[in-house]
């Protein structure tokens, strides 16, 4: 097993453990009907956390599939932050499902909401920035492969957009009186990412298409 294989195994194990921490009741099995009902009530919150955590994990899988070398510091940063990020993510997910009436969770006040949104935004920013860092290393390593470089550049752009959203949400929550506007920053992501993905040359053949054709 190479050093890169060991690193990838560590990343996979860390994300698997983070998902375990997201499970309701700290991963403890239900012992009675009351605890079983609590598990079922918290299932929507677990789904939210599951989707977000696996989003970062699958980005690492895509990076290692196309590149797979280097990126040690970015990968270790992902491991470190995701194990911390899972805790505010779980609280935020529980509060969200409680707010929309799909389960029971902690009630947020202005003070607790500011701290939670700021912590979540900071974690989202660092995780997204670390993932963008991975694909930046991919851009450098794929300098001679136009298609691979184009994919890495596209992924870098998407994760940079996500990182900016996390940073903006953090600053709104922590430094402005508009705390409750912080979560709404993420609502613009589908549009921003969709426009970027639509405009980006994923095949890496724009330079080829623009080259003059020889005659004769």
């Amino acid at each position: 097993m190479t050093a890169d294989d060991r690193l990838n195994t560590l990343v996979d194990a860390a994300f698997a453990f983070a998902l375990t921490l997201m499970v309701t009741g700290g991963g403890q099995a239900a012992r009675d009907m009351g605890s079983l009902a609590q598990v079922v009530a918290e299932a929507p919150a677990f789904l939210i956390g599951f989707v977000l955590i696996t989003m970062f994990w699958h980005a690492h899988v895509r990076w290692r599939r196309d590149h797979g070398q280097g990126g040690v510091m970015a990968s270790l940063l992902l491991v470190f932050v995701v194990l911390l990020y899972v805790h505010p993510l779980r609280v935020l997910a529980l509060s969200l499902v409680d707010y929309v009436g799909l389960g029971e969770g902690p009630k947020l006040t202005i003070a607790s909401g500011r701290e939670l949104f700021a912590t979540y935004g900071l974690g989202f920013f660092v995780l997204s920035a670390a993932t963008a860092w991975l694909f930046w290393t991919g851009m450098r390593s794929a300098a001679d492969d136009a298609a691979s470089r184009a994919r890495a550049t596209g992924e870098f752009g998407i994760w940079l957009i996500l990182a900016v959203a996390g940073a903006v949400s953090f600053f709104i929550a922590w430094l402005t009186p508009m705390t409750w506007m912080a979560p709404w920053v993420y609502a613009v992501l589908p549009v921003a990412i969709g426009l970027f993905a639509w405009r980006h040359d994923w095949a890496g053949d724009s330079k080829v298409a623009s080259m003059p054709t020889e005659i004769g």
Side-chain angles (χ1 to χ4, degrees), residues 12-152:
D12 290 343
F15 275 93
F17 184 64
L19 288 175
T20 301
L21 293 177
M22 272 298 302
V23 175
T24 53
Q28 297 179 359
R31 297 177 179 273
D32 51 43
M33 290 305 298
S35 58
L36 177 61
Q38 183 68 19
V39 169
V40 174
E42 294 181 359
F46 173 66
L47 177 61
I48 293 172
F50 179 87
V51 170
L52 284 172
I53 290 174
T54 53
M55 178 181 74
F56 290 103
W57 169 76
H58 195 257
H60 194 276
V61 171
R62 295 194 303 274
W63 169 80
R64 75 178 74 155
R65 179 187 61 203
D66 285 345
H67 311 288
Q69 294 182 345
V72 175
M73 294 303 298
S75 296
L76 292 177
L77 181 60
L78 275 175
V79 169
F80 177 76
V81 177
V82 76
L83 295 176
L84 297 175
Y85 174 76
V86 65
H87 300 290
L89 172 59
R90 186 171 188 273
V91 175
L92 186 64
L94 287 170
S95 300
L96 176 62
V97 297
D98 175 76
Y99 180 76
V100 299
L102 294 177
E104 296 183 1
K107 309 294 182 181
L108 292 181
T109 64
I110 294 178
S112 63
R114 175 178 291 110
E115 295 175 354
L116 180 59
F117 295 151
T119 304
Y120 175 85
L122 182 61
F124 191 87
F125 162 73
V126 176
L127 284 173
S128 299
T131 307
W133 185 7
L134 277 175
F135 285 105
W136 180 74
T137 65
M139 290 164 53
R140 297 180 62 189
S141 66
D144 298 329
D145 185 340
S148 181
R149 182 177 175 83
R151 290 193 299 272

Side-chain angles (χ1 to χ4, degrees), residues 181-200:
M181 290 294 296
W184 291 101
V185 173
Y186 304 104
V188 305
L189 287 175
V191 176
I193 292 175
L195 288 174
F196 174 84
W198 175 56
R199 296 287 298 172
H200 181 67

